[in-house]
Amino acid sequence: TPAHAQTYQGAIRGLVRDAQGVIPGAEVILVNEETSASRTVMTNEVGEYAFPSVLPGVYSIRATLAGFKTEERKGLKLATQQQIVQDFTLRPSTSTVHAPH
């Protein structure tokens, strides 16, 4: 049986949305916390992103888009052949800088 062709790599995928719905075109950055190697993808038209073929390890992942606060998760442990779903809900960044009177 060709079962030996299976990879030991895992995958991380998810959805990026805000209060109104999904966010296409958001940038999602995956960083290996042990090697600092990073990969970046953009969400598609329905707000989905995917990092296929991710080596087992500990990762941080963040979603960012102009006009929104960056959302970050740290310490995600990806095991052999594991699939992690990590959804993000971005909040508008509020520029509440008060000028002196």
PDB file of all heavy atoms in Angstrom, residues 11-12 18 22 24-25 27 29-30 42 57 60 72-73 77 87 89 91 96 99-100:
ATOM      1  N   ALA A  11      -0.759  21.484   8.931  1.00  0.00           N
ATOM      2  CA  ALA A  11      -1.300  22.643   8.235  1.00  0.00           C
ATOM      3  C   ALA A  11      -2.019  23.538   9.231  1.00  0.00           C
ATOM      4  O   ALA A  11      -2.527  23.071  10.247  1.00  0.00           O
ATOM      5  CB  ALA A  11      -2.256  22.210   7.134  1.00  0.00           C
ATOM      6  N   ILE A  12      -2.047  24.817   8.913  1.00  0.00           N
ATOM      7  CA  ILE A  12      -2.779  25.799   9.720  1.00  0.00           C
ATOM      8  C   ILE A  12      -3.652  26.591   8.757  1.00  0.00           C
ATOM      9  O   ILE A  12      -3.191  27.048   7.719  1.00  0.00           O
ATOM     10  CB  ILE A  12      -1.830  26.738  10.486  1.00  0.00           C
ATOM     11  CG1 ILE A  12      -0.936  25.922  11.428  1.00  0.00           C
ATOM     12  CG2 ILE A  12      -2.633  27.793  11.266  1.00  0.00           C
ATOM     13  CD1 ILE A  12       0.127  26.737  12.128  1.00  0.00           C
ATOM     14  N   ASP A  18     -14.466  40.500  10.571  1.00  0.00           N
ATOM     15  CA  ASP A  18     -14.697  41.596  11.511  1.00  0.00           C
ATOM     16  C   ASP A  18     -16.165  41.549  11.902  1.00  0.00           C
ATOM     17  O   ASP A  18     -16.851  40.570  11.598  1.00  0.00           O
ATOM     18  CB  ASP A  18     -14.275  42.952  10.921  1.00  0.00           C
ATOM     19  CG  ASP A  18     -15.154  43.394   9.754  1.00  0.00           C
ATOM     20  OD1 ASP A  18     -16.120  42.687   9.406  1.00  0.00           O
ATOM     21  OD2 ASP A  18     -14.860  44.452   9.173  1.00  0.00           O
ATOM     22  N   VAL A  22     -16.679  38.596   6.688  1.00  0.00           N
ATOM     23  CA  VAL A  22     -15.328  38.143   6.373  1.00  0.00           C
ATOM     24  C   VAL A  22     -14.497  39.271   5.768  1.00  0.00           C
ATOM     25  O   VAL A  22     -15.034  40.229   5.220  1.00  0.00           O
ATOM     26  CB  VAL A  22     -15.345  36.926   5.420  1.00  0.00           C
ATOM     27  CG1 VAL A  22     -16.064  35.761   6.079  1.00  0.00           C
ATOM     28  CG2 VAL A  22     -15.970  37.269   4.087  1.00  0.00           C
ATOM     29  N   PRO A  24     -11.630  39.845   3.025  1.00  0.00           N
ATOM     30  CA  PRO A  24     -10.683  39.433   1.992  1.00  0.00           C
ATOM     31  C   PRO A  24      -9.480  40.368   1.980  1.00  0.00           C
ATOM     32  O   PRO A  24      -9.598  41.537   2.338  1.00  0.00           O
ATOM     33  CB  PRO A  24     -11.492  39.536   0.700  1.00  0.00           C
ATOM     34  CG  PRO A  24     -12.610  40.461   1.005  1.00  0.00           C
ATOM     35  CD  PRO A  24     -12.830  40.454   2.488  1.00  0.00           C
ATOM     36  N   GLY A  25      -8.324  39.852   1.591  1.00  0.00           N
ATOM     37  CA  GLY A  25      -7.144  40.701   1.446  1.00  0.00           C
ATOM     38  C   GLY A  25      -6.415  41.025   2.726  1.00  0.00           C
ATOM     39  O   GLY A  25      -5.533  41.885   2.734  1.00  0.00           O
ATOM     40  N   GLU A  27      -3.645  40.258   5.603  1.00  0.00           N
ATOM     41  CA  GLU A  27      -2.359  39.575   5.594  1.00  0.00           C
ATOM     42  C   GLU A  27      -2.263  38.703   6.841  1.00  0.00           C
ATOM     43  O   GLU A  27      -2.546  39.152   7.945  1.00  0.00           O
ATOM     44  CB  GLU A  27      -1.243  40.625   5.593  1.00  0.00           C
ATOM     45  CG  GLU A  27       0.124  40.083   5.303  1.00  0.00           C
ATOM     46  CD  GLU A  27       1.154  41.193   5.174  1.00  0.00           C
ATOM     47  OE1 GLU A  27       1.389  41.890   6.176  1.00  0.00           O
ATOM     48  OE2 GLU A  27       1.689  41.366   4.087  1.00  0.00           O
ATOM     49  N   ILE A  29       0.436  36.241   8.868  1.00  0.00           N
ATOM     50  CA  ILE A  29       1.856  35.921   8.957  1.00  0.00           C
ATOM     51  C   ILE A  29       2.059  34.811   9.983  1.00  0.00           C
ATOM     52  O   ILE A  29       1.599  34.916  11.115  1.00  0.00           O
ATOM     53  CB  ILE A  29       2.672  37.167   9.363  1.00  0.00           C
ATOM     54  CG1 ILE A  29       2.442  38.296   8.347  1.00  0.00           C
ATOM     55  CG2 ILE A  29       4.167  36.846   9.450  1.00  0.00           C
ATOM     56  CD1 ILE A  29       2.034  39.586   8.960  1.00  0.00           C
ATOM     57  N   LEU A  30       2.744  33.771   9.557  1.00  0.00           N
ATOM     58  CA  LEU A  30       3.052  32.625  10.406  1.00  0.00           C
ATOM     59  C   LEU A  30       4.544  32.641  10.694  1.00  0.00           C
ATOM     60  O   LEU A  30       5.357  32.704   9.769  1.00  0.00           O
ATOM     61  CB  LEU A  30       2.669  31.333   9.676  1.00  0.00           C
ATOM     62  CG  LEU A  30       2.911  30.027  10.417  1.00  0.00           C
ATOM     63  CD1 LEU A  30       1.962  29.905  11.606  1.00  0.00           C
ATOM     64  CD2 LEU A  30       2.746  28.852   9.477  1.00  0.00           C
ATOM     65  N   MET A  42      -2.305  35.872   1.990  1.00  0.00           N
ATOM     66  CA  MET A  42      -3.424  36.808   2.038  1.00  0.00           C
ATOM     67  C   MET A  42      -4.716  36.001   2.094  1.00  0.00           C
ATOM     68  O   MET A  42      -4.793  34.920   1.501  1.00  0.00           O
ATOM     69  CB  MET A  42      -3.456  37.685   0.789  1.00  0.00           C
ATOM     70  CG  MET A  42      -2.163  38.443   0.529  1.00  0.00           C
ATOM     71  SD  MET A  42      -1.809  39.674   1.783  1.00  0.00           S
ATOM     72  CE  MET A  42      -2.709  41.066   1.125  1.00  0.00           C
ATOM     73  N   GLY A  57       6.164  22.140  15.056  1.00  0.00           N
ATOM     74  CA  GLY A  57       6.904  23.119  15.846  1.00  0.00           C
ATOM     75  C   GLY A  57       5.964  24.040  16.595  1.00  0.00           C
ATOM     76  O   GLY A  57       4.766  23.786  16.693  1.00  0.00           O
ATOM     77  N   SER A  60       3.831  31.394  16.118  1.00  0.00           N
ATOM     78  CA  SER A  60       2.928  32.512  16.397  1.00  0.00           C
ATOM     79  C   SER A  60       2.321  32.879  15.052  1.00  0.00           C
ATOM     80  O   SER A  60       2.938  32.710  14.001  1.00  0.00           O
ATOM     81  CB  SER A  60       3.665  33.698  17.028  1.00  0.00           C
ATOM     82  OG  SER A  60       4.649  34.211  16.155  1.00  0.00           O
ATOM     83  N   GLU A  72      -2.975  38.668  17.288  1.00  0.00           N
ATOM     84  CA  GLU A  72      -1.875  37.703  17.288  1.00  0.00           C
ATOM     85  C   GLU A  72      -2.111  36.584  18.300  1.00  0.00           C
ATOM     86  O   GLU A  72      -2.655  36.813  19.377  1.00  0.00           O
ATOM     87  CB  GLU A  72      -0.549  38.406  17.599  1.00  0.00           C
ATOM     88  CG  GLU A  72       0.640  37.470  17.540  1.00  0.00           C
ATOM     89  CD  GLU A  72       1.973  38.197  17.606  1.00  0.00           C
ATOM     90  OE1 GLU A  72       2.036  39.308  18.168  1.00  0.00           O
ATOM     91  OE2 GLU A  72       2.953  37.636  17.102  1.00  0.00           O
ATOM     92  N   ARG A  73      -1.693  35.383  17.932  1.00  0.00           N
ATOM     93  CA  ARG A  73      -1.709  34.219  18.832  1.00  0.00           C
ATOM     94  C   ARG A  73      -0.290  33.691  18.890  1.00  0.00           C
ATOM     95  O   ARG A  73       0.363  33.550  17.859  1.00  0.00           O
ATOM     96  CB  ARG A  73      -2.618  33.114  18.291  1.00  0.00           C
ATOM     97  CG  ARG A  73      -3.968  33.583  17.808  1.00  0.00           C
ATOM     98  CD  ARG A  73      -5.017  33.603  18.918  1.00  0.00           C
ATOM     99  NE  ARG A  73      -6.122  34.491  18.580  1.00  0.00           N
ATOM    100  CZ  ARG A  73      -7.057  34.234  17.689  1.00  0.00           C
ATOM    101  NH1 ARG A  73      -7.024  33.112  17.016  1.00  0.00           N
ATOM    102  NH2 ARG A  73      -8.019  35.088  17.453  1.00  0.00           N
ATOM    103  N   LYS A  77       1.266  25.047  19.177  1.00  0.00           N
ATOM    104  CA  LYS A  77       2.076  23.856  18.966  1.00  0.00           C
ATOM    105  C   LYS A  77       1.450  23.009  17.867  1.00  0.00           C
ATOM    106  O   LYS A  77       0.324  22.547  18.001  1.00  0.00           O
ATOM    107  CB  LYS A  77       2.178  23.050  20.265  1.00  0.00           C
ATOM    108  CG  LYS A  77       2.978  23.750  21.339  1.00  0.00           C
ATOM    109  CD  LYS A  77       3.033  22.910  22.607  1.00  0.00           C
ATOM    110  CE  LYS A  77       3.846  23.595  23.691  1.00  0.00           C
ATOM    111  NZ  LYS A  77       3.260  24.844  24.155  1.00  0.00           N
ATOM    112  N   ASP A  87      -9.084  30.982  13.744  1.00  0.00           N
ATOM    113  CA  ASP A  87      -9.870  32.082  13.189  1.00  0.00           C
ATOM    114  C   ASP A  87      -9.539  33.385  13.919  1.00  0.00           C
ATOM    115  O   ASP A  87      -9.182  33.371  15.100  1.00  0.00           O
ATOM    116  CB  ASP A  87     -11.365  31.797  13.323  1.00  0.00           C
ATOM    117  CG  ASP A  87     -11.811  30.623  12.461  1.00  0.00           C
ATOM    118  OD1 ASP A  87     -11.112  30.288  11.493  1.00  0.00           O
ATOM    119  OD2 ASP A  87     -12.864  30.044  12.762  1.00  0.00           O
ATOM    120  N   THR A  89     -10.877  37.538  14.573  1.00  0.00           N
ATOM    121  CA  THR A  89     -11.872  38.589  14.432  1.00  0.00           C
ATOM    122  C   THR A  89     -11.151  39.914  14.679  1.00  0.00           C
ATOM    123  O   THR A  89     -10.715  40.187  15.797  1.00  0.00           O
ATOM    124  CB  THR A  89     -13.029  38.411  15.430  1.00  0.00           C
ATOM    125  OG1 THR A  89     -13.621  37.130  15.210  1.00  0.00           O
ATOM    126  CG2 THR A  89     -14.078  39.490  15.244  1.00  0.00           C
ATOM    127  N   ARG A  91     -10.687  43.943  15.024  1.00  0.00           N
ATOM    128  CA  ARG A  91     -11.443  45.105  15.477  1.00  0.00           C
ATOM    129  C   ARG A  91     -10.843  46.357  14.841  1.00  0.00           C
ATOM    130  O   ARG A  91      -9.630  46.433  14.677  1.00  0.00           O
ATOM    131  CB  ARG A  91     -11.373  45.219  16.999  1.00  0.00           C
ATOM    132  CG  ARG A  91     -12.091  44.085  17.714  1.00  0.00           C
ATOM    133  CD  ARG A  91     -12.153  44.295  19.219  1.00  0.00           C
ATOM    134  NE  ARG A  91     -10.860  44.534  19.832  1.00  0.00           N
ATOM    135  CZ  ARG A  91      -9.984  43.572  20.139  1.00  0.00           C
ATOM    136  NH1 ARG A  91     -10.262  42.309  19.891  1.00  0.00           N
ATOM    137  NH2 ARG A  91      -8.832  43.868  20.701  1.00  0.00           N
ATOM    138  N   THR A  96      -7.385  57.157  18.982  1.00  0.00           N
ATOM    139  CA  THR A  96      -7.877  58.029  20.070  1.00  0.00           C
ATOM    140  C   THR A  96      -6.702  58.803  20.664  1.00  0.00           C
ATOM    141  O   THR A  96      -6.427  58.720  21.852  1.00  0.00           O
ATOM    142  CB  THR A  96      -8.591  57.219  21.157  1.00  0.00           C
ATOM    143  OG1 THR A  96      -7.702  56.162  21.574  1.00  0.00           O
ATOM    144  CG2 THR A  96      -9.891  56.623  20.646  1.00  0.00           C
ATOM    145  N   ALA A  99      -5.326  65.457  21.333  1.00  0.00           N
ATOM    146  CA  ALA A  99      -4.422  66.604  21.253  1.00  0.00           C
ATOM    147  C   ALA A  99      -4.621  67.474  22.474  1.00  0.00           C
ATOM    148  O   ALA A  99      -5.731  67.615  22.979  1.00  0.00           O
ATOM    149  CB  ALA A  99      -4.701  67.400  19.980  1.00  0.00           C
ATOM    150  N   PRO A 100      -3.534  68.054  22.983  1.00  0.00           N
ATOM    151  CA  PRO A 100      -3.672  68.956  24.143  1.00  0.00           C
ATOM    152  C   PRO A 100      -4.498  70.183  23.758  1.00  0.00           C
ATOM    153  O   PRO A 100      -4.419  70.659  22.637  1.00  0.00           O
ATOM    154  CB  PRO A 100      -2.235  69.324  24.506  1.00  0.00           C
ATOM    155  CG  PRO A 100      -1.419  68.987  23.288  1.00  0.00           C
ATOM    156  CD  PRO A 100      -2.150  67.916  22.542  1.00  0.00           C
TER     157      PRO A 100
END
